[in-house]
Amino acid sequence: MDFKYTIEGGDFSRAGHASSDVKKLLKQLNIDNQLIKRIVVALYEAEVNIVAHAKNGVIDVSILPDQVFIKLTDQGPGIKDINLAMQEGYSTASQKVREMGFGAGMGLPNMKKNADKLNIESTPGVGTTVELTTFIQ
Amino acid sequence: MKVSDLVEKLELEVYSGENGLSNLVTGGYTSDLLSDVMGHASENQVWITLQTHKNVMAVASLKDLAAVILVKGFKPDADMEAESNTHNIPVLGTKQEAFEISGKLYGIIGKF
Ligand SMILES: Nc1ncnc2c1ncn2[C@@H]1O[C@H](COP(=O)(O)OP(=O)(O)OP(=O)(O)O)[C@@H](O)[C@H]1O
Ligand SMILES: [Mg+2]
């Protein structure tokens, strides 16, 4: 089963919308609750990163018999040094974004912790692709 | 313990999400950083914060939290209230600071 969402950079009023929808879908499919939690934490962080850091993006969700595979592709500034960005506490979030409680530099570490596989590819000045894989049993 | 028990014992204001007053409470988490809560809070905890915007409710509902308590007399934005009603997660309030209300909550339910 495949689902697609489009994300607008800067639109915090809809941030988390796709994650919430995916959570509902996974519940309907009777996927284990703890597994849903991990998938949703990783997806939310990736979704918010497009809103906070990129211009726009798409989320492709594939629900397969043995795994949930989510690919987030954005157009934006990209990430110059992915290892640095992965460090807890590293953030380039704007002051406005920080005032809302984002910008702790914990999103990528949360993705790493909660997805079974995290793959990030980025071209500075072009955009970023994040792949989250979670195996179902 | 239910959210309604906390409202009574801690004399909290109820701003929205009344349908969630029967939600089960097993603990609490105090933080103003959304991805900290995303990474470390657990289901059925009460979230103590000064953040008053609707993204708080997105995190609370994805994590299946029991309720949100706003500190220092802060009131929820209108769209935060609306999301709270949609998800049946009450937004509560107190004039106390996070330290005080967290301490009292800990005293009542401990850390599970
Ligand atoms: N999609 C993206 N496009 C461009 N830069 C990104 C993207 N995702 C992450 N980054 C960069 O990596 C940094 C760390 O990301 P991470 O999600 O860990 O923290 P954050 O978004 O800054 O704060 P938090 O997630 O805790 O609210 C960001 O501040 C940003 O510089
Ligand atoms: Mg982030």
Side-chain angles (χ1 to χ4, degrees), chain B residues 48 71-72 94-103:
Chain B
I48 297 171
V71 297
K72 300 203 289 188
T94 179
K95 289 207 165 60
Q96 298 168 57
E97 296 184 354
F99 175 75
E100 291 178 77
I101 197 73
S102 300

Side-chain angles (χ1 to χ4, degrees), chain A residues 53 82-93 98 102-110 113, chain B residues 33 35-36 40:
Chain A
H53 306 296
I82 293 174
N83 286 328
L84 180 63
M86 288 300 302
Q87 285 178 24
E88 192 159 312
Y90 177 85
S91 176
T92 61
R98 283 174 201 262
F102 296 106
M106 295 177 77
L108 288 170
N110 277 348
K113 262 177 252 166
Chain B
L33 299 170
S35 55
D36 178 33
H40 299 287

Side-chain angles (χ1 to χ4, degrees), chain A residues 15-16 20 23 44, chain B residues 16-17 23 34 38 47 49 51-70 76-92:
Chain A
S20 172
K23 184 184 177 191
Y44 176 80
Chain B
S16 57
N23 291 349
L34 274 65
M38 209 59 206
W47 177 7
T49 184
Q51 297 290 350
T52 58
H53 53 87
K54 71 183 278 195
N55 292 273
V56 169
M57 298 320 298
V59 172
S61 92
L62 288 171
K63 295 291 285 184
D64 295 319
L65 301 185
V68 176
I69 301 178
L70 300 181
D77 296 349
D79 53 7
M80 180 178 185
E81 279 188 10
E83 290 292 302
S84 148
N85 290 330
T86 304
H87 296 292
N88 299 325
I89 300 175
V91 176
L92 314 170

